Amino acid sequence: MHRLQPKCSLILLLWLSWFSSPLWSQGAKEHADLIVTGGSVIAMDAARTVYNDGAVLIKGDQIVAVGPRSALESRYEATQTLNATGQLVLPGFINGHTHVPMTLFRGLHDDVTLNDWLYKYIFPAEARNVNEEFVRWGTRLGLAEQIRSGVTTFADMYYFEDAIAEESKAAGVRGVLGETLLDFPAPDNKSEAEMLAYTEKFLQRWRNDPLIHAAVAPHSIYTCSRKTLTDGAALARKYQAPILIHTAEMKKEWEDSNAKNSMSPVQYLDRIGLLGPDVVSAHCIYVDAQDQKTLAERKVGCVHNPSSNMMIASGVSPVPEMRAAGVAVGLGTDGPAGSNNDLDIMEEMDLAAKLAKITRMNPLALGAKDVMAMATIEGARALHLDKQIGSLEPGKKADLVLLSLDQPNSVPMYDVYAQIVYASKASDITTVMVGGRTVMQNRKLLTVDEPAAIAKAREYKTKIAASLGMQ
Ligand SMILES: [Zn+2]
């Protein structure tokens, strides 16, 4: 056996003491691509931690560390720095329900009932105007608007959803995107068989994409037969894809279901096997205690759309009761035509709290911290994506927003959640990042040609108005 020579032993000793010395550990900082530093980090983790002088370390598309700035700066060295001094660093907001290309129908016909709006105006306007080009321009406009309001993930139900996926991917925005199934001809597919074939190709194409979650979106129980609903669910489940559906969104839907099926819309969806931990139900207004229990047991995510519900006077979703029953409730803008009419998720936070308060005549009904959760971590749970997004924690996707506090409406600040929900505006958002890629910096959009989208929207207005005989 070889014995160490005294000279060798000395080298070994020096070598060992170097690697255990503080000098070495300082020199061997861990590497990250980007540090977001100097702001107050609102983590939205389980403990709702706030780091007043915090930092977020990002590597690739993921967060690798979150914590106090000094601790993280001594542990990491990053290639790039994003200075967030004087700003809040928040998880990106989640718009849990919308129909994004409908930006081009914004303001077309308002102040009518949902039934009239759908059947008299929107379905005919869609039949005459919606093609792939329309969808692409409407999506670009809607992406610009959503990025400006801090949305990093949105759930969408429309037609030509493959084009929406391409535009979202190009803009670097995360999407849960569902091709709509209906019992009448849609602008893209004219029969159930065509719709299912298109959807299957769509699901195959985007499988395992890091940004796009392709989904199946049977529109509702009032526009889809039992067969369309169950065929759509079976296709989604074949590909482990989410199912997006409007659920119990208007009184007429509940009355018709009660007359036809002798049960509520939620009980009917459960009876036909549609409900499960892959379902995202938009609205959930007409849901009684039994329905809420069913939604919780089946782990269905719900999405509350306060602007839309108020504008169409659909009713008030029992949000505090659903959350107490254990249902994950996210927030959505719905719309953006006829039922909002914008994609400002910060406005929905403010309205969700105030709508719950006024309808119960109780200012404690739903608070700022709760609605902030609904727009972030609980919204992620509602979309069944909470392992990936919704909070600033190691291992999650680097989706975040910087919100300026250097505004007249943002000072002074006593409570950070109340400030975000009741005082801050989307226009206070300066920078937005999705999966480590900056899509807006200092209010400048980096991935969407905003002037082109705005100019095109004006062109479309003339065309659409003419198609409906309006001037
Ligand atoms: Zn909707």
Side-chain angles (χ1 to χ4, degrees):
M1 197 177 135
H2 177 73
R3 285 193 60 202
L4 283 174
Q5 296 302 306
K7 205 175 156 191
C8 276
S9 306
L10 188 68
I11 292 168
L12 185 68
L13 201 70
L14 283 170
W15 187 82
L16 283 172
S17 61
W18 165 250
F19 275 94
S20 57
S21 77
L23 213 62
W24 181 82
S25 52
Q26 256 179 31
K29 282 184 178 177
E30 288 176 57
H31 172 77
D33 296 328
L34 178 75
I35 182 166
V36 183
T37 184
S40 291
V41 177
I42 319 303
M44 296 310 290
D45 55 3
R48 300 289 187 261
T49 313
V50 174
Y51 301 100
N52 281 324
D53 184 9
V56 180
L57 268 301
I58 294 161
K59 200 170 180 177
D61 69 348
Q62 285 196 347
I63 296 168
V64 289
V66 181
R69 181 177 60 84
S70 56
L72 294 188
E73 280 181 352
S74 62
R75 220 177 102 202
Y76 285 91
E77 60 182 3
T79 316
Q80 283 187 301
T81 300
L82 179 58
N83 186 353
T85 305
Q87 303 197 68
L88 299 179
V89 183
L90 314 171
F93 296 132
I94 297 168
N95 182 1
H97 178 68
T98 189
H99 313 277
V100 83
M102 294 181 82
T103 44
L104 297 177
F105 292 132
R106 190 194 323 263
L108 174 64
H109 272 288
D110 294 309
D111 308 329
V112 290
T113 65
L114 174 60
N115 214 50
D116 281 356
W117 180 75
L118 278 176
Y119 290 95
K120 285 190 187 165
Y121 305 112
I122 281 301
F123 289 147
E126 285 179 333
R128 282 168 222 174
N129 294 285
V130 174
N131 55 27
E132 193 181 313
E133 190 68 3
F134 172 102
V135 163
R136 284 187 189 280
W137 282 109
T139 301
R140 284 172 199 159
L141 185 67
L143 285 165
E145 193 182 348
Q146 291 194 95
I147 292 170
R148 286 201 176 281
S149 95
V151 171
T152 53
T153 297
F154 73 109
D156 190 80
M157 303 169 67
Y158 208 60
Y159 316 110
F160 298 101
E161 205 69 35
D162 198 44
I164 299 174
E166 282 180 2
E167 296 299 329
S168 304
K169 175 93 178 166
V173 174
R174 205 175 297 287
V176 180
L177 308 176
E179 171 69 12
T180 300
L181 307 181
L182 291 161
D183 279 347
F184 48 89
D188 51 354
N189 296 298
K190 304 303 169 200
S191 67
E192 196 209 345
E194 274 183 40
M195 287 173 196
L196 288 173
Y198 176 100
T199 308
E200 183 153 20
K201 254 173 79 182
F202 171 62
L203 296 176
Q204 285 168 345
R205 179 177 175 194
W206 295 99
R207 233 178 162 184
N208 302 322
D209 188 90
L211 271 186
I212 305 301
H213 301 266
V216 184
H219 179 273
S220 61
I221 65 164
Y222 61 89
T223 49
C224 295
S225 66
R226 177 178 177 155
K227 182 177 181 314
T228 307
L229 294 168
T230 52
D231 286 352
L235 179 62
R237 283 166 184 156
K238 183 176 166 190
Y239 290 91
Q240 290 91 48
I243 299 166
L244 312 180
I245 184 166
H246 295 96
T247 305
E249 70 167 322
M250 54 179 164
K251 200 161 177 229
K252 188 175 185 314
E253 175 188 353
W254 187 91
E255 286 167 352
D256 289 351
S257 175
N258 207 35
K260 202 173 136 201
N261 313 309
S262 308
M263 63 186 87
S264 73
V266 167
Q267 296 309 322
Y268 171 71
L269 287 170
D270 192 38
R271 176 72 60 90
I272 66 172
L274 194 129
L275 299 186
D278 45 5
V279 172
V280 183
S281 273
H283 299 296
C284 299
I285 296 170
Y286 295 91
V287 290
D288 62 14
Q290 183 56 40
D291 292 338
Q292 292 165 28
K293 196 164 166 266
T294 303
L295 292 167
E297 279 172 3
R298 299 283 178 255
K299 296 188 164 52
V300 171
C302 289
V303 179
H304 177 44
N305 303 267
S307 282
S308 168
N309 298 168
M310 285 192 274
M311 187 152 169
I312 316 174
S314 312
V316 180
S317 173
V319 171
E321 291 78 4
M322 281 202 289
R323 296 178 79 233
V327 181
V329 184
L331 275 182
T333 57
D334 202 6
S339 56
N340 192 314
N341 289 344
D342 60 44
L343 297 168
D344 182 346
I345 197 72
M346 291 193 73
E347 198 172 84
E348 302 303 319
M349 285 199 273
D350 185 45
L351 289 173
K354 289 171 182 169
L355 178 62
K357 291 173 196 295
I358 186 63
T359 47
R360 287 160 184 79
M361 294 296 282
N362 176 7
L364 309 182
L366 192 62
K369 206 170 180 178
D370 291 324
V371 292
M372 175 67 184
M374 289 166 67
T376 55
I377 186 61
E378 198 171 325
R381 270 179 62 211
L383 294 186
H384 314 291
L385 286 175
D386 48 311
K387 285 197 171 65
Q388 291 184 38
I389 57 170
S391 58
L392 300 178
E393 292 181 87
K396 290 215 175 172
K397 300 288 184 190
D399 293 7
L400 58 85
V401 162
L402 303 192
L403 184 83
S404 169
L405 292 173
D406 198 17
Q407 308 293 333
N409 57 297
S410 303
V411 284
M413 184 171 78
Y414 299 96
D415 178 279
V416 70
Y417 299 103
Q419 202 80 351
I420 296 165
V421 171
Y422 302 131
S424 291
K425 306 290 165 203
S427 53
D428 302 338
I429 292 169
T430 62
T431 298
V432 177
M433 182 182 292
V434 188
R437 180 184 182 194
T438 306
V439 295
M440 181 169 81
Q441 186 148 27
N442 297 326
R443 298 196 175 87
K444 189 181 179 330
L445 296 183
L446 304 178
T447 57
V448 181
D449 185 346
E450 192 177 38
I454 290 172
K456 206 70 179 178
R458 294 195 175 112
E459 266 179 45
Y460 266 105
K461 185 252 162 177
T462 312
K463 221 168 116 184
I464 292 162
S467 82
L468 296 172
M470 299 162 66
Q471 278 320 315

